[in-house]
Amino acid sequence: MDDTPALKVAGLGHNYGGFRALDSVDFTVARGQFAVLLGSNGAGKTTLFSLLTGLYHSRDGRISVCGHDLKRRPSRALRRIGVVFQQRSLDADLTVWQNLRYSASLHGMSPRLARERAEEETARLGMDDRMNDKIRHLSGGQQRRVEIARALMHRPELLILDEPTFGLDVPGREAILGHVRALCGRGLSALWTTHLLDEVHADDALLVLKKGRLTKTGAAGELAGCAEPAAMRSQLAAFL
Ligand code: ATP
């Protein structure tokens, strides 16, 4: 496997007027890694997400996706990223297939390739039998799975998700987490943003963001000093 990191962030900062929302953020996400960006409300997660997805531009620091600098080579960097936003962004009046086809066309895919990819990605997420259903007839968890399938249509190497379990019940959250972890087992890298401690597993690469600074990085269980879920969560809570 290529050992260039899927994501490398160095010295990243961001200001809103005179307010320093992110400062000196450095981290990498390795190929195939599932990394969790954990931070409480206002820590700077969405700001970081907006910089990584090119929604905001950073004056300080560098972001590199699979070796491509986001500032200097934005199209090369961005086409390697799949994005799942916190707010739902599918068209509720269109079917699963129509939403996926629309997204594929924006990436310049032929209808035939779009159909092949849509079938493959929805099958991977257990949604291939819902291809002709309108989005509004799907549960919140099923809609999230379609958003993940859509984010993977152009075969990105890095998936970035901003609080993707927002609004889901516990089984729905666990299913989405399980799907993304399984995708990482197949070589995709993922950066999963959350404020929920129970979404962190002991062997996840954890990035703790507090008041705009990364205060802890490493395997979650090692940082907490224990791998038992409840004890680990209570240790991690002290970092927030
Ligand atoms: P949440 O979990 O509540 O979504 P977050 O970790 O995503 O929080 P951000 O939304 O990135 O945090 O906000 C980081 C800080 O920057 C907060 O103090 C917030 O008030 C501030 N902030 C965010 N957006 C703006 C903006 N457009 N203008 C001014 N300040 C902002």
Side-chain angles (χ1 to χ4, degrees):
M1 197 186 282
D2 186 349
D3 59 5
T4 314
L7 177 64
K8 184 170 167 56
V9 170
L12 194 66
H14 189 75
N15 279 23
Y16 293 108
F19 176 69
R20 189 80 173 149
L22 278 184
D23 191 39
S24 307
V25 171
D26 292 287
F27 68 92
T28 58
V29 177
R31 302 279 180 159
Q33 195 170 48
F34 179 82
V36 179
L37 177 72
L38 180 71
S40 51
N41 293 134
K45 302 180 300 296
T46 299
T47 304
L48 178 57
F49 187 87
S50 302
L51 291 167
L52 296 177
T53 53
L55 241 48
Y56 296 165
H57 295 287
S58 59
R59 274 206 319 217
D60 317 340
R62 297 184 64 171
I63 297 168
S64 169
V65 184
C66 304
H68 301 282
D69 187 275
L70 183 60
K71 212 178 288 181
R72 287 191 300 143
R73 305 235 178 231
S75 58
R76 285 190 192 196
L78 289 172
R79 73 167 172 257
R80 287 170 169 83
I81 302 180
V83 182
V84 177
F85 294 99
Q86 190 180 119
Q87 301 298 334
R88 304 238 164 97
S89 57
L90 298 167
D91 188 323
D93 289 321
L94 298 182
T95 65
V96 170
W97 161 237
Q98 286 168 330
N99 271 277
L100 296 179
R101 188 181 58 191
Y102 176 65
S103 172
S105 69
L106 295 179
H107 284 286
M109 278 179 228
S110 68
R112 190 170 156 197
L113 181 61
R115 188 76 204 184
E116 272 172 32
R117 295 266 175 97
E119 282 171 1
E120 198 174 319
E121 295 305 339
T122 51
R124 221 196 284 280
L125 292 159
M127 291 290 299
D128 45 337
D129 58 340
R130 309 301 300 269
M131 200 81 106
N132 296 317
D133 290 351
K134 282 193 176 174
I135 297 298
R136 66 171 66 260
H137 296 144
L138 303 181
S139 70
Q142 289 166 338
Q143 291 184 26
R144 273 302 191 209
R145 278 189 257 171
V146 176
E147 289 186 312
I148 293 172
R150 181 180 61 177
L152 297 174
M153 288 283 284
H154 63 293
R155 297 269 157 85
E157 288 157 78
L158 173 68
L159 185 63
I160 308 184
L161 311 99
D162 189 11
E163 310 217 21
T165 57
F166 180 76
L168 301 185
D169 58 14
V170 173
R173 283 170 44 200
E174 284 174 358
I176 295 293
L177 251 173
H179 283 306
V180 177
R181 286 180 199 280
L183 291 168
C184 290
R186 299 191 186 103
L188 185 81
S189 310
L191 180 64
W192 176 283
T193 300
T194 188
H195 64 275
L196 299 169
L197 289 161
D198 58 0
E199 295 186 352
V200 183
H201 285 191
D203 52 359
D204 291 340
L206 184 65
L207 307 158
V208 180
L209 191 65
K210 187 173 179 180
K211 294 184 180 164
R213 285 181 164 263
L214 269 189
T215 53
K216 303 272 179 200
T217 57
E222 285 173 25
L223 290 174
C226 57
E228 192 280 316
M232 185 183 77
R233 281 199 293 273
S234 92
Q235 288 297 320
L236 295 180
F239 298 158
L240 295 176

